[in-house]
């Protein structure tokens, strides 16, 4: 067991070693007495077994001694447990939300909000390229925190039960839909610390790593300023018109990263499970799975894909489809990203609708949704 980099991990390490040595001492004591008795009082020497029935002194001893041992273990264990849940007076609070299969981090003090996705190349996962030393433990957007500051993590989930676990912090905490669990960390050494979801949460469970970068306070403030500037830039980008060529290039990249896992890189989908994105391709699935496609105008009477209204396309990508595997991408992607994906889907693989969806259309759709709340 390693010592970790937080006060809690240090306490857990020392508690582990204390219990370990108590067990070792007990083991040595018990086996020493046992082997001594076997040797000194063996039958060949003519010894007869002593009788301890109803011996008050012996019964008193084997009751008191284990009791004292348990008290000796319970006191430091209870102290460590109390410290684990003492997340009062934090310098920074981060909300951690589990999604299938990514993490969302919201810095409640500054408003910084982003998703952290696995960044291991598909070629490594498919054994088409050598695996990196951080295989399946690398993300596109790590959590950045300052060292020597108490950080409170509020942990929940958007869908199923996950578990946020960084071994060097000495704790893990379940992320449960509808509940908010708390844990804290005060990292005493700069560095990059990696972890994973520790709860079997679905087929992509192995693909939601955690990466935390602990930096000096000045570096953290610089990172916060850079993130705030990036957020302002993304907000202003929603009001600009982009060309079709630019949207198609961005759309392919975003589609491959976020959509291809279900709908496939060539838009062919998965028969009976995920609908194709190519006009004219058949999608034969249960009525429950095809119902929403027909309602939105993306499936004709012969169960072939047609390109429905742009408005409905935006609605599906932005809000998802309840009761299906299609998630709402609105909270996860920017207006520019969603506009590029829809433009790409309506013009790739021979669809050739000529439709160009601008970020301002996505922004307007968001505002309508907010107004209805």
């Amino acid at each position: 067991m390693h010592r970790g980099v937080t006060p809690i991990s240090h306490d857990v390490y020392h508690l582990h070693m204390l219990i370990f040595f108590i067990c070792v001492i007990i083991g040595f004591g018990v086996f020493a007495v046992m082997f001594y008795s076997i040797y000194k009082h063996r039958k060949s020497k003519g010894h007869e077994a002593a009788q301890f029935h109803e011996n008050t002194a012996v019964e008193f001893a084997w009751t008191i001694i284990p009791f004292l041992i348990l008290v000796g273990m319970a006191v430091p264990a209870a102290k460590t447990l109390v410290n684990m849940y003492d997340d009062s007076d934090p310098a920074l609070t981060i909300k951690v939300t589990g999604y299938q299969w990514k993490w969302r981090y919201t810095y409640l003090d500054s408003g910084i909000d982003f998703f952290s996705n696995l960044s291991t190349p598909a070629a490594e996962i498919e054994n088409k390229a050598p695996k990196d030393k951080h295989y399946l433990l690398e993300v596109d957007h790590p959590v950045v925190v300052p060292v020597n500051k108490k950080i409170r993590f509020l942990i929940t989930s958007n869908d199923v039960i996950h578990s946020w676990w960084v071994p060097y912090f000495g704790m893990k905490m379940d992320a449960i839909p509808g509940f908010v669990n708390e844990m804290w960390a005060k990292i005493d050494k700069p560095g990059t610390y990696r972890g994973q979801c520790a709860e079997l949460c679905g087929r992509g469970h192995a693909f939601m790593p955690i990466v935390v970068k602990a930096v000096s306070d000045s570096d953290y403030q610089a990172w916060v300023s850079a993130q705030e500037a990036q957020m302002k830039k993304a907000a202003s980008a929603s009001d600009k018109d982009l060309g079709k060529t630019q949207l198609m290039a961005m759309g392919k990249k975003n589609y491959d990263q976020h959509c291809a896992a279900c709908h496939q890189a060539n838009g062919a989908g998965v028969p009976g499970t995920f609908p194709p994105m190519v006009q004219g391709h058949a999608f034969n699935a249960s009525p429950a799975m095809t119902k929403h496609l027909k309602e939105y105008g993306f499936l004709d009477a012969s169960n072939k894909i047609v390109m429905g209204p742009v408005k409905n396309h935006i609605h599906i990508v932005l809000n998802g489809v309840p009761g299906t595997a299609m998630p709402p991408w609105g909270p996860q992607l920017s207006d520019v990203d969603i506009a590029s994906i829809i433009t790409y889907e309506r013009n790739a693989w021979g669809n050739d609708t000529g439709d160009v969806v601008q970020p301002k259309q996505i922004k307007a759709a968001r505002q309508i949704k907010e107004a209805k709340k």
Side-chain angles (χ1 to χ4, degrees), residues 308-328:
V310 171
K311 178 182 176 182
N312 291 351
H313 202 155
I314 293 175
H315 177 80
I316 291 174
V317 178
L318 198 60
N319 304 305
V321 181
T324 73
M326 179 66 185

Side-chain angles (χ1 to χ4, degrees), residues 199-226:
E199 189 73 46
L200 189 59
C201 58
R203 68 177 177 83
H205 164 68
F207 305 125
M208 51 186 304
I210 300 159
V211 179
V212 179
K213 291 183 68 175
V215 298
S216 65
D217 191 53
S218 58
D219 287 345
Y220 173 71
Q221 294 303 330
W223 178 82
V224 170
S225 298

Side-chain angles (χ1 to χ4, degrees), residues 192-272:
T192 300
Y193 304 102
R194 301 175 190 275
Q196 288 176 300
C197 175
E199 189 73 46
L200 189 59
C201 58
R203 68 177 177 83
H205 164 68
F207 305 125
M208 51 186 304
I210 300 159
V211 179
V212 179
K213 291 183 68 175
V215 298
S216 65
D217 191 53
S218 58
D219 287 345
Y220 173 71
Q221 294 303 330
W223 178 82
V224 170
S225 298
Q227 294 300 307
E228 290 175 342
Q230 190 172 335
M231 290 166 61
K232 289 180 181 177
K233 183 179 179 182
S236 63
S238 299
D239 298 321
K240 296 179 180 177
D241 286 335
L242 303 177
K244 182 180 176 182
T245 302
Q246 185 179 5
L247 285 167
M248 286 293 287
M250 295 171 62
K252 181 178 185 339
K253 178 183 176 184
N254 287 320
Y255 177 89
D256 289 344
Q257 181 177 357
H258 303 291
C259 311
C262 296
H263 298 288
Q264 307 302 302
N266 59 3
V270 177

Side-chain angles (χ1 to χ4, degrees), residues 107-164:
Y107 289 61
L108 300 185
D109 304 271
S110 61
I112 295 172
D113 188 354
F114 59 85
F115 281 79
S116 183
N117 299 280
L118 173 74
S119 62
T120 297
E124 291 185 21
I125 298 174
E126 297 167 357
N127 295 319
K128 296 178 181 176
K131 299 187 188 304
D132 186 80
K133 65 178 181 180
H134 297 309
Y135 176 68
L136 295 185
L137 289 175
E138 49 203 343
V139 300
D140 58 355
H141 208 155
V143 187
V144 178
V145 296
V147 294
N148 298 320
K149 294 283 183 68
K150 189 172 184 177
I151 306 158
R152 180 173 61 172
F153 295 98
L154 304 178
I155 300 175
T156 187
S157 172
N158 184 64
D159 36 51
V160 300
I161 297 177
H162 304 276
S163 188
W164 201 80

